[in-house]
Amino acid sequence: MKSKLFLIAFLLISTFGFAQNIEVSGKVNEVATGLPMPGVNVTVKNSTVGTVTDMDGNYTISAPKGAVLVFSFVGFKSLEATVTGPNVTVSLQEDAKTLEEVVVIGYGTQKKKEVTGAVGFVDSKTIDQLKPVKVEQALQGTVSGVNVTTTSGAPGANLSIRIRGIGTNGTNDPAVIIDGYLGDINLLNPNDIESITVLKDAQAAIYGTIAANGIILVTTKKGRKNSKTTFSFNTYTGFQETSKKMNLLNATEYALLQNERYANGGKALPFPDVSGIGVGTDWQDEVFNKGVPLVNHDLTISGGGEKITYSVSGSHLDQEGIIGGNKSSFERNTGRLSLTADLTDKLKLNTNATYTSFDRKNLNENVLGSVLFNAINTPSIYTPYDANGDLTVLPSGGAAPGSNLGIEIINPLAQIENTYNYYNLKKLNGTIGLDYELIKDLVVTGRVGFNTQNARQKVFNKMVSYGGKVFDNPRSSVNQNAFQDNNYSFDLYANYKKSFAEAHNFTITLGMTAYKEWGEGLYATGFDVPNNDIRNADISLTTGFSESKTASSYKYDNRRLSHFARLQYDYKGRYLLSGMIRRDLSTRFGPGNQVAYFPSVTGGWIISDEPFYKQSKAVSFAKLRASYGSLGNDVGFGDNKYIGLLDGEASYIFDGQLVQGTAIGGLANPNIKWEEARKFDVGADLRFINDKLEFTADYFIDTRKDLIIPGIPVSGIIGTYGPGGQNPSINAGKVENKGLELALTYSDKIGDDFSFRTSYNVTFLKNEVLEVKNGTGILEGGGFGVGQPAMTRMEVGMPLGYFYGYKTDGIFQNQAEIDAHADQTTINGSVPAPGDIRYADLNGDGVVDVKDKTNVGDPIPDATMGFNIQLNYKGFDLAAYAFASLGNDMVRNYERDAADVNRSNYLLGRWHGEGTSNSVPRVTTGNTANNVFSDYFVEDASYCRIQNVQLGYTINNNFTQKSGITKLRLYVGANNLYTFTKYRGYDPGASSGAPLSSGIDFGFYPVPRTYLLGLNLNF
């Protein structure tokens, strides 16, 4: 009886349990993109029941209520979800650890765990959060040791990338490799990029002669196998405004200060009555526009089957300038195709092609006479338009108050109106490659990379008079220029991987690269444009002639042939060793110096994998690594320096007639050769608290030798002083950069809904010139004011490009102080008076003269750092990025010294009686030494900038998937939100990019503050 009751109970329970099984269906999406994920494993936890999602990410499975479904896919974090009803839809998140496992290192990949060099990495998610207009901006503050500076905030302006400092007096830009070809990072659409890898040390030696400044490897997005066609549309629109206005004098302040200036000079007051002057014109408001539009759209179509993947994208960017509107604008259109195909089981095809077209209009900037230079110096007593409604013509000099402006200051609005500068570029670049598995573990790759671009430029110089200024143009003209530049590369290399005894692992890479670049350009000028009208600005319509030559051209052809080998070895994944060597032959050098060898070695020890290392939650991973190698540089100093060219000018007499002809220009140096960088790095990678906290530290020494120094003095007898003549360039310089990089990242998840990631990195850098063998030990550069000596130097024992001038020692308060001080009349012949700058007599000889000039600052920061944070709560996401630069100086060179120009309002704190100021000198029209270059004009340009803040919300896909939308995200953001700095100029982070003049500020065009509203839509 009991057995029957037990059987009946068992059947009832089984029937009840079976009755609770329901058919569960749903969809699996990807968190980052919202796209459906095919091939995801779906299993009922603690059972053998399972299924796989289809091409659309859908699945169906039978499971009881309350059961737990487990979703798993390679490269993504597994997810568990409880069955509460017939529909369970989930989104899987990429596993950061898995993403970091493999990085591109040049002609191959390597697990990040096994990388023995100093490598930085930026993924597409970071780029998406930053929303940079140009890709380079995504590197600022996200990769330690990388400093990105703006040459201008104008639309389309170039940015300068510096990896671990400035190593040469020539070009310091790193080489950029895009999907295997040498390309331009500044032309890429940021949304086309999958990842950016920065090789900072000897790891880059595999690229030999182009690697001295570091290597940036860019990988673009590709399609995914076994996935249906998906569409991703991203758009944002916004408006821009200036991020900074200088504090200048208003009209009343200007008039009062001018009265004092003239009175101190013993002259009559120019403004006897200032009661009705008011505030006058704010010329910055006149040139800066507000609400300037910025629009970006891009669409990507991607997918793939069993054998083929594809990704097609197009983008459009339209940005107007905060100065000049359409006269300063940038429009970029790109189209990209990525295609991979498994032609056979062993043969694979990879292609990438990008077409870029952009139009740019720009104004004169960062020079004496730029628009901002004029806006800063034009007195606020003048109005933009005169009584007749015409643009005001500013005077050069005279008896009228405020009329002594010199011959350089013009109405900036008139300058904008009369500027016509147009540049168009069309470029096609990409790669076509084949991978063939010759035998097991041996893959041979052949790849062709190509770049071809055509550009044209038109500059219309309108016939105009600004009232006797240097910018007066008595004759209209039009410059029309055309350029064609090309390069191609052919790579053939093999990667062979082999393991022995489950302990010894080898990867051998052997290959060669052939590279050629060639191009030509034509410059032509036509005079007397009909009706002085831009609509007729074409050489074919011009009617005038010129006695001088009206056309010129250039042509170049350079080639490089390289062979390389790399051996990577590890023992049980614990002891890591990599050796590389590359042989380069370059046609930039003469027969005796065309070939150079670049060896390097890197090594590492993963301590946490040792048997003696006990597993610890505190330190879950520990690796030490070191590298040393030789890298090269063959760009930035011109071509054909080893031979004499007929690019100079000379006068000849034929048959008694004087004839103008050509002559040898630069004197040849047949011994010129590569610049060489020797890079040493020792570092550590640590992870703590179950990999939640990551720490990286690197100490590096980068020594650049054989720097090419131009203009080495030789005897004038050999003819280097004719028109176009130049002294030779020789390998005569040496520079060292030492530094420490630290990076810290912490990520965690609190509960089911909240996760965060925060990171901080800092780089400390010391730059020092070790050698300048040009006869004087000094290479000068830069410019300050008008007619003053060069004020930057490359000199042994000093930072490259440091500022060379007088050291100030306060302000003379009375005549007794002047009498007690060293004689400084030798500076420029002026006799100091109370209120003038007191210059330091550094050598103590009782006289202040050129022997007392010294280092008064340098533009190279002592430290740079980045701080980034990302927060996610349910559908909300918040990201913020900040960057700081400490210890960089900048020269205030935007102030003109003419008598009546406008001034910054810090002059309101000038000396005007004993004890009133010990930092700002008196104002006077008399001759003083206050305007000679000194540390008075050098300012600390340290700053901290909130680069980007973005807040987004992703609508729950349960609401959107019914309409076929897999992801819908809305966001608002701000770029260049605020800069904390004491620097008085527009942009403390700006730079000319030139090593010997990078920190001289003529009135840098500020990077605009941008407010964005955007949409991410996937379907």
Side-chain angles (χ1 to χ4, degrees):
M1 182 69 180
K2 287 182 179 180
S3 62
K4 290 181 179 179
L5 290 173
F6 178 81
L7 178 61
I8 292 171
F10 176 79
L11 291 173
L12 287 172
I13 293 172
S14 300
T15 303
F16 177 79
F18 180 80
Q20 295 305 303
N21 270 22
I22 61 174
E23 187 176 86
V24 180
S25 61
K27 194 169 190 176
V28 181
N29 298 313
E30 183 180 346
V31 168
T33 65
L35 300 175
M37 296 182 60
V40 177
N41 293 312
V42 186
T43 60
V44 180
K45 193 173 184 178
N46 299 323
S47 78
T48 58
V49 179
T51 186
V52 178
T53 58
D54 62 16
M55 294 285 288
D56 297 320
N58 298 316
Y59 73 93
T60 302
I61 194 170
S62 180
K65 278 190 176 182
V68 176
L69 299 183
V70 180
F71 301 85
S72 60
F73 189 78
V74 176
F76 289 76
K77 294 180 180 179
S78 296
L79 180 69
E80 296 184 357
T82 301
V83 176
T84 58
N87 184 276
V88 178
T89 294
V90 298
S91 297
L92 297 188
Q93 187 169 7
E94 292 169 311
D95 189 343
K97 298 177 186 176
T98 304
L99 285 175
E100 294 174 352
E101 278 186 359
V102 176
V103 295
V104 179
I105 58 172
Y107 303 102
T109 59
Q110 190 175 25
K111 290 182 179 179
K112 186 176 182 181
K113 179 181 179 181
E114 299 172 354
V115 170
T116 49
V119 175
F121 186 78
V122 178
D123 59 17
S124 58
K125 182 179 180 181
T126 300
I127 297 173
D128 184 59
Q129 290 171 336
L130 283 168
K131 286 292 181 294
V133 173
K134 307 195 79 173
V135 177
E136 305 96 301
Q137 295 167 321
L139 297 172
Q140 182 76 305
T142 58
V143 179
S144 61
V146 177
N147 189 14
V148 181
T149 57
T150 59
T151 58
S152 167
N158 291 328
L159 290 91
S160 296
I161 304 175
R162 300 291 179 259
I163 299 176
R164 292 184 167 179
I166 297 174
T168 174
N169 55 297
T171 298
N172 285 273
D173 297 313
V176 178
I177 311 295
I178 305 171
D179 293 328
Y181 69 89
L182 191 62
D184 296 327
I185 192 172
N186 61 332
L187 295 181
L188 291 175
N189 170 25
N191 279 330
D192 284 338
I193 294 177
E194 182 65 35
S195 66
I196 302 174
T197 303
V198 182
L199 307 182
K200 298 182 279 188
D201 66 346
Q203 184 86 43
I206 194 71
Y207 289 104
T209 182
I210 63 173
N213 297 325
I215 296 290
I216 296 177
L217 303 173
V218 179
T219 302
T220 58
K221 293 178 179 178
K222 297 176 174 58
R224 180 181 294 169
K225 282 189 175 183
N226 299 316
S227 63
K228 72 171 204 174
T229 300
T230 56
F231 299 83
S232 176
F233 176 69
N234 301 286
T235 182
Y236 63 79
T237 184
F239 61 90
Q240 309 164 89
E241 63 185 18
T242 183
S243 54
K244 176 73 178 289
K245 280 181 61 180
M246 287 191 196
N247 297 315
L248 304 178
L249 299 174
N250 64 35
T252 299
E253 293 169 337
Y254 168 82
L256 290 170
L257 203 64
Q258 286 300 96
N259 283 343
E260 184 177 326
R261 180 186 304 276
Y262 275 70
N264 287 342
K267 298 181 180 180
L269 301 184
F271 299 96
D273 182 9
V274 300
S275 59
I277 293 180
V279 297
T281 300
D282 187 330
W283 285 98
Q284 293 181 98
D285 283 346
E286 294 297 327
V287 299
F288 282 128
N289 298 323
K290 295 181 179 179
V292 179
L294 170 67
V295 179
N296 183 82
H297 311 291
D298 69 78
L299 175 66
T300 301
I301 305 171
S302 62
E306 184 67 29
K307 300 288 187 181
I308 298 175
T309 70
Y310 56 89
S311 177
V312 183
S313 66
S315 71
H316 171 76
L317 170 72
D318 194 348
Q319 180 184 16
E320 288 192 7
I322 57 175
I323 300 174
N326 191 48
K327 289 291 185 75
S328 173
S329 62
F330 181 68
E331 181 179 324
R332 183 188 66 209
N333 296 284
T334 66
R336 188 181 68 90
L337 170 65
S338 174
L339 179 69
T340 68
D342 295 346
L343 303 180
T344 68
D345 291 339
K346 293 189 174 184
L347 184 63
K348 303 181 186 299
L349 171 70
N350 298 280
T351 64
N352 290 280
T354 302
Y355 174 77
T356 304
S357 173
F358 76 76
D359 296 294
R360 186 186 180 205
K361 298 176 183 178
N362 63 286
L363 300 167
N364 195 19
E365 55 183 280
N366 196 32
V367 292
L368 289 172
S370 68
V371 172
L372 282 177
F373 180 86
N374 286 313
I376 294 168
N377 288 282
T378 300
S380 45
I381 61 172
Y382 291 102
T383 59
Y385 298 90
D386 60 22
N388 298 322
D390 298 322
L391 287 163
T392 299
V393 176
L394 300 178
S396 299
S403 64
N404 294 296
L405 301 179
I407 60 173
E408 297 166 1
I409 310 301
I410 63 175
N411 186 333
L413 296 184
Q415 184 179 14
I416 293 173
E417 181 174 292
N418 295 322
T419 297
Y420 304 89
N421 193 335
Y422 170 81
Y423 182 85
N424 169 265
L425 179 140
K426 292 180 172 63
K427 181 171 185 174
L428 179 65
N429 52 63
T431 59
I432 301 175
L434 292 170
D435 297 330
Y436 182 70
E437 187 178 12
L438 192 62
I439 59 175
K440 184 180 179 181
D441 300 323
L442 176 59
V443 177
V444 178
T445 299
R447 182 175 60 206
V448 175
F450 58 90
N451 280 283
T452 180
Q453 67 180 41
N454 291 277
R456 55 191 177 90
Q457 182 181 33
K458 178 181 285 189
V459 180
F460 172 49
N461 305 296
K462 188 175 182 179
M463 181 173 64
V464 62
S465 173
Y466 295 106
K469 307 286 186 173
V470 293
F471 301 105
D472 287 358
N473 191 25
R475 190 179 185 189
S476 64
S477 64
V478 57
N479 303 325
Q480 289 180 248
N481 311 319
F483 318 96
Q484 184 184 62
D485 300 284
N486 312 273
N487 67 62
Y488 80 85
S489 61
F490 173 67
D491 300 319
L492 180 63
Y493 60 95
N495 280 302
Y496 180 64
K497 297 182 179 180
K498 193 65 177 177
S499 298
F500 300 97
E502 299 182 356
H504 304 279
N505 306 300
F506 295 87
T507 300
I508 301 173
T509 303
L510 295 172
M512 59 81 64
T513 295
Y515 176 81
K516 176 182 178 180
E517 62 177 4
W518 74 101
E520 57 186 5
L522 178 65
Y523 304 85
T525 303
F527 292 90
D528 300 336
V529 175
N531 300 322
N532 197 32
D533 193 325
I534 179 63
R535 291 171 293 184
N536 298 322
D538 190 275
I539 289 178
S540 64
L541 300 177
T542 56
T543 59
F545 298 92
S546 173
E547 294 182 359
S548 61
K549 189 176 180 180
T550 60
S552 62
S553 65
Y554 71 83
K555 192 172 186 178
Y556 66 94
D557 186 336
N558 296 309
R559 308 177 192 196
R560 188 184 303 123
L561 179 63
S562 309
H563 298 83
F564 54 87
R566 177 174 61 206
L567 172 64
Q568 297 164 265
Y569 167 77
D570 73 80
Y571 175 73
K572 292 187 176 181
R574 299 198 299 266
Y575 308 110
L576 314 168
L577 184 66
S578 177
M580 290 168 272
I581 187 168
R582 176 159 171 149
R583 176 188 187 272
D584 280 320
L585 184 152
S586 173
T587 60
R588 278 196 168 96
F589 306 100
N593 294 292
Q594 286 187 332
V595 176
Y597 293 86
F598 302 101
S600 71
V601 61
T602 66
W605 177 27
I606 302 179
I607 304 172
S608 54
D609 283 355
E610 289 287 357
F612 64 77
Y613 188 90
K614 296 180 180 180
Q615 292 296 319
S616 168
K617 292 183 179 180
V619 183
S620 53
F621 177 79
K623 177 175 69 174
L624 297 178
R625 48 185 169 75
S627 66
Y628 180 77
S630 173
L631 302 86
N633 176 46
D634 70 343
V635 298
F637 42 80
D639 300 331
N640 303 311
K641 296 294 185 181
Y642 67 97
I643 56 175
L645 300 177
L646 293 175
D647 54 359
E649 300 176 17
S651 299
Y652 301 91
I653 297 177
F654 292 103
D655 297 329
Q657 298 294 321
L658 184 66
V659 179
Q660 296 298 320
T662 60
I664 293 178
L667 191 64
N669 174 16
N671 296 319
I672 197 169
K673 61 180 182 179
W674 321 78
E675 294 183 347
E676 181 185 357
R678 294 185 177 178
K679 296 179 182 284
F680 168 78
D681 183 279
V682 59
D685 301 319
L686 304 173
R687 293 188 182 185
F688 306 87
I689 321 174
N690 293 324
D691 293 346
K692 293 179 181 179
L693 179 64
E694 298 179 28
F695 174 73
T696 300
D698 282 275
Y699 174 75
F700 62 88
I701 302 175
D702 184 348
T703 304
R704 189 76 62 90
K705 69 171 192 172
D706 293 328
L707 301 189
I708 296 177
I709 307 296
I712 302 298
V714 295
S715 171
I717 296 175
I718 62 176
T720 61
Y721 291 97
Q726 297 176 0
N727 285 322
S729 298
I730 69 170
N731 298 94
K734 190 175 184 180
V735 173
E736 181 180 77
N737 285 285
K738 292 182 179 179
L740 176 66
E741 295 175 359
L742 303 173
L744 195 66
T745 300
Y746 185 79
S747 57
D748 201 357
K749 186 174 183 180
I750 301 175
D752 295 329
D753 298 323
F754 181 74
S755 63
F756 68 92
R757 177 184 175 88
T758 181
S759 62
Y760 170 79
N761 65 76
V762 60
T763 301
F764 301 97
L765 182 69
K766 180 183 179 182
N767 176 279
E768 183 180 359
V769 176
L770 302 181
E771 195 175 81
V772 182
K773 296 187 295 186
N774 64 343
T776 64
I778 297 169
L779 183 65
E780 294 184 326
F784 177 79
V786 177
Q788 293 207 33
M791 38 74 71
T792 66
R793 285 188 165 191
M794 178 181 180
E795 182 179 359
V796 174
M798 297 293 183
L800 179 59
Y802 81 95
F803 306 133
Y804 181 72
Y806 290 100
K807 192 84 171 177
T808 60
D809 186 24
I811 304 295
F812 288 121
Q813 300 297 320
N814 49 55
Q815 187 61 43
E817 291 187 1
I818 297 173
D819 295 338
H821 187 61
D823 179 16
Q824 61 183 50
T825 59
T826 56
I827 293 177
N828 68 347
S830 63
V831 178
D836 288 338
I837 293 176
R838 177 171 52 206
Y839 295 103
D841 178 18
L842 297 182
N843 62 4
D845 63 357
V847 177
V848 180
D849 55 19
V850 293
K851 298 176 184 178
D852 294 297
K853 286 187 175 183
T854 187
N855 179 3
V856 293
D858 74 87
I860 302 175
D862 299 321
T864 57
M865 57 189 71
F867 178 76
N868 314 309
I869 186 169
Q870 300 99 42
L871 307 174
N872 295 278
Y873 179 72
K874 294 186 176 180
F876 291 94
D877 59 88
L878 174 67
Y881 291 77
F883 177 81
S885 177
L886 305 177
N888 55 299
D889 299 312
M890 193 169 286
V891 175
R892 192 175 66 248
N893 195 33
Y894 47 77
E895 298 173 331
R896 189 70 178 93
D897 61 358
D900 290 347
V901 298
N902 202 17
R903 314 282 174 170
S904 297
N905 71 356
Y906 72 84
L907 282 182
L908 296 176
R910 81 280 175 211
W911 187 95
H912 54 280
E914 187 168 347
T916 55
S917 175
N918 199 39
S919 58
V920 182
R922 68 188 176 118
V923 293
T924 180
T925 58
N927 184 31
T928 73
N930 295 335
N931 288 319
V932 300
F933 180 66
S934 68
D935 59 8
Y936 173 69
F937 297 97
V938 179
E939 294 187 19
D940 180 7
S942 300
Y943 68 95
C944 178
R945 174 171 291 161
I946 302 175
Q947 295 193 127
N948 174 272
V949 176
Q950 187 180 129
L951 175 64
Y953 179 72
T954 302
I955 298 175
N956 193 312
N957 58 16
N958 289 330
F959 297 99
T960 60
Q961 64 182 356
K962 295 180 181 179
S963 59
I965 297 174
T966 56
K967 180 181 179 180
L968 178 58
R969 176 177 178 267
L970 303 171
Y971 65 88
V972 292
N975 291 342
N976 193 30
L977 186 60
Y978 191 79
T979 300
F980 300 91
T981 185
K982 293 182 178 179
Y983 180 62
R984 296 188 182 106
Y986 285 116
D987 192 347
S991 167
S992 69
L996 286 178
S997 60
S998 59
I1000 304 174
D1001 187 357
F1002 290 92
F1004 280 114
Y1005 192 131
V1007 177
R1009 180 183 296 118
T1010 307
Y1011 301 96
L1012 301 174
L1013 173 64
L1015 167 73
N1016 305 130
L1017 176 65
N1018 296 336
F1019 55 95

